[in-house]
Amino acid sequence: MKQEMYAKREGFSSSIGVIAAVLGSAVGLGNIWKFPYVTGANGGAAFILVYLLCVALVGLPVMLSELLIGRHTKANAVGAFKALQPRRPWFLVGGAGVLSAFLIMAFYTTVAGWVYAYIFKAAGGMLVSTKPEDTSLAFKTLISGVAEPLFWQMFVLIVIGAIIMAGVTKGIERVTKLLMPLLFLLLLIIDIRSLTLPGAGVGLSFLFKPDFSKITVSVILAALGLAFFKLSVGMGAMITYGSYVDKNENLPKMAIKVALADTLVSLMAGIAIFPAVFAFGFKPDAGPKLLFIIIPTVFNSMPLGRLFMVLFFLLTAIAATGAMLSLLEVPIAYLTEQYQWTRRKATLLTILGIGLLGSTATLSNSLFAKVTVFGKTFFDFFDFATSNVLLPLGGIFIALFVGWQWNHTKVKLEMSNGGQLTNERLADAFIFLVKFIVPVAIALVLLAGLNIIHF
Ligand code: TRP
């Protein structure tokens, strides 16, 4: 019965399709919105170095762990752990992942809504100033409204709901395959403009000249959390996507390619933003609004700026949409496989749940501005609780599972596609990392970053 169900699963249709989908999950608001603002808030270059270390030594191994688990079991985040370890509560790791997907989507759809709104504002000529006061005011007016940002959030949810109901291959592949090269090209154009602004040098040294005195435990936790968020790992999204991947795919190679490409996009977004931050007299630690107040100034100081600005927000919206599809796929695969819900029912109810939860994030700048959870607004709480707590926690358990619970011979067989690839050495290094380094490193950073232990 189970076997039959899994046999019927739709998969990604080609190797390019898989990379596009996994990259489509990784690249999103994380690169274009979050990476710059978190880098700005944590002091720049030194933070970026720590971030790169987190990606290579922690994020990448967890990503590979998830892909291996997913492809091996051909199941959703919960079902995968149940299949591999039926008698122990490891499936709770998948359960926490489903919860994380809701929490991330709650604030992700808020920001995606702002991006969708900016497409129209840019097109309508409402963002034509290069003055910090003007671009800040335009953004503040949008987010402190009630009906307008809620409308855009619901709009986003309807768009992704429609795409999801069209199915795995058709929906996800088509959207993501087309867009990556275009987004890349546009970022390149903005980078050139930003780098040639008078005073751009200050922004460049902010990005690339590290000041190590800026590194504190909370900075390290922010870098680690961002690495998880960026690579879409720690909550079973890559287990779910891995379950659609063909058995001949070279998973380690794919994970490395995705992490490299993703990091490149983040750095390019940084180069687009920081020279302009300093050239136009903004502050780098402006927080979540950074992208929205800086980007208009860059475009407004270049020829055809308005056209390019519309294109930029459009491509960012599409990238965000690809990322959201992977987030949604976690609860949807769970509900359809574990409870035999139809895809339609699972999609509709998931989206409804996210809409309800997410509206509290959207209203964090207006009606609920004074309502706090652990001293944070709903928006900040969802963001912090997922990136800086739940994803790293998920990462610890996913690594521990592969390092200590899963038979190493089986791990190596899965990693080498049943012995077809020769990557024994790499596999040994990987197992060593997930067995010792990854869980210990995350645990220390998490405990210290949350002030539970002190060095
Ligand atoms: N990586 C995406 C981004 O940077 C966000 C994302 C998509 C995500 N799927 C995820 C984050 C799963 C954590 C887990 O925008």
Side-chain angles (χ1 to χ4, degrees):
M1 167 65 207
K2 268 249 148 73
Q3 223 43 40
E4 214 178 308
M5 195 175 84
Y6 291 151
K8 266 193 269 152
R9 287 173 126 248
E10 232 184 310
F12 294 116
S13 62
S14 65
S15 188
I16 286 287
V18 185
I19 297 227
V22 175
L23 192 61
S25 163
V27 175
L29 295 175
N31 310 66
I32 295 170
W33 164 71
K34 205 170 203 235
F35 177 85
Y37 102 67
V38 178
T39 298
N42 287 287
F47 170 86
I48 294 182
L49 281 180
V50 180
Y51 170 77
L52 295 177
L53 278 177
C54 290
V55 167
L57 293 178
V58 179
L60 201 53
V62 175
M63 183 183 222
L64 182 56
S65 302
E66 288 197 30
L67 289 169
L68 293 168
I69 293 172
R71 186 176 66 175
H72 187 79
T73 56
K74 301 238 176 299
N76 63 84
V78 173
F81 286 105
K82 283 199 169 154
L84 286 169
Q85 193 49 275
R87 282 179 302 279
R88 299 241 177 100
W90 284 98
F91 66 89
L92 292 176
V93 178
V98 174
L99 173 74
S100 302
F102 276 93
L103 297 177
I104 293 178
M105 279 299 281
F107 74 91
Y108 207 98
T109 50
T110 301
V111 183
W114 299 342
V115 172
Y116 277 51
Y118 261 55
I119 303 172
F120 292 89
K121 289 191 191 293
M126 276 125 95
L127 306 166
V128 288
S129 174
T130 48
K131 286 211 203 81
E133 310 87 75
D134 294 342
T135 59
S136 298
L137 183 68
F139 181 66
K140 195 156 180 267
T141 310
L142 167 67
I143 67 164
S144 57
V146 173
E148 195 184 0
L150 274 183
F151 166 82
W152 288 112
Q153 181 176 39
M154 299 311 141
F155 186 83
V156 166
L157 284 167
I158 290 168
V159 169
I160 48 178
I163 299 174
I164 281 264
M165 283 198 255
V168 178
T169 30
K170 279 177 259 149
I172 303 176
E173 280 181 35
R174 208 181 296 158
V175 183
T176 40
K177 238 188 270 182
L178 286 170
L179 111 119
M180 289 296 154
L182 259 184
L183 179 65
F184 191 82
L185 210 68
L186 190 64
L187 278 174
L188 203 63
I189 296 174
I190 316 172
D191 282 357
I192 294 170
R193 169 67 278 202
S194 201
L195 285 173
T196 49
L197 286 168
V202 187
L204 267 189
S205 25
F206 181 80
L207 272 180
F208 295 111
K209 235 168 104 195
D211 169 2
F212 291 104
S213 70
K214 295 217 168 110
I215 297 183
T216 63
V217 277
S218 62
V219 168
I220 301 177
L221 178 59
L224 184 72
L226 183 62
F228 275 95
F229 186 86
K230 271 303 330 104
L231 297 178
S232 305
V233 300
M235 53 155 266
M238 289 298 147
I239 296 181
T240 310
Y241 268 29
S243 75
Y244 303 126
V245 173
D246 187 87
K247 63 177 180 346
N248 293 319
E249 199 65 47
N250 187 337
L251 289 181
K253 207 169 174 184
M254 181 172 98
I256 291 171
K257 273 191 200 161
V258 168
L260 281 176
D262 178 72
T263 305
L264 184 63
V265 175
S266 296
L267 291 174
M268 285 176 73
I271 297 173
I273 297 215
F274 285 102
V277 166
F278 292 96
F280 289 105
F282 288 88
K283 294 250 181 316
D285 58 356
K289 63 175 188 260
L290 188 69
L291 171 79
F292 297 92
I293 60 176
I294 299 297
I295 280 295
T297 66
V298 183
F299 284 113
N300 287 328
S301 47
M302 69 191 263
L304 295 180
R306 188 157 147 194
L307 179 73
F308 279 129
M309 181 153 49
V310 175
L311 198 60
F312 171 81
F313 283 112
L314 187 68
L315 289 171
T316 304
I318 298 175
T321 304
M324 287 188 284
L325 293 176
S326 76
L327 280 157
L328 269 180
E329 195 62 26
V330 173
I332 290 172
Y334 166 66
L335 293 168
T336 52
E337 290 175 16
Q338 302 301 119
Y339 300 99
Q340 273 75 46
W341 286 17
T342 62
R343 205 167 160 86
R344 196 183 163 79
K345 178 176 165 194
T347 306
L348 287 174
L349 287 175
T350 301
I351 287 201
L352 191 70
I354 293 167
L356 289 174
L357 192 66
S359 59
T360 67
T362 300
L363 298 177
S364 289
N365 298 297
S366 53
L367 294 183
F368 296 158
K370 297 235 158 54
V371 186
T372 55
V373 199
F374 293 107
K376 296 186 188 310
T377 62
F378 286 115
F379 182 99
D380 292 337
F381 173 73
F382 295 146
D383 186 353
F384 186 87
T386 49
S387 276
N388 290 14
V389 183
L390 287 169
L391 298 180
L393 216 51
I396 294 184
F397 286 106
I398 290 161
L400 288 177
F401 185 85
V402 174
W404 297 88
Q405 284 290 311
W406 205 3
N407 179 311
H408 289 175
T409 320
K410 289 194 179 147
V411 175
K412 287 184 181 172
L413 273 177
E414 190 59 48
M415 197 163 150
S416 64
N417 299 350
Q420 285 179 44
L421 305 170
T422 38
N423 54 15
E424 176 100 24
R425 280 252 195 90
L426 189 67
D428 284 330
F430 164 68
I431 289 171
F432 179 78
L433 273 176
V434 292
K435 202 165 173 173
F436 302 108
I437 309 293
V438 172
V440 173
I442 303 176
L444 286 179
V445 173
L446 199 55
L447 291 171
L450 296 175
N451 262 320
I452 299 168
I453 55 169
H454 300 272
F455 290 111

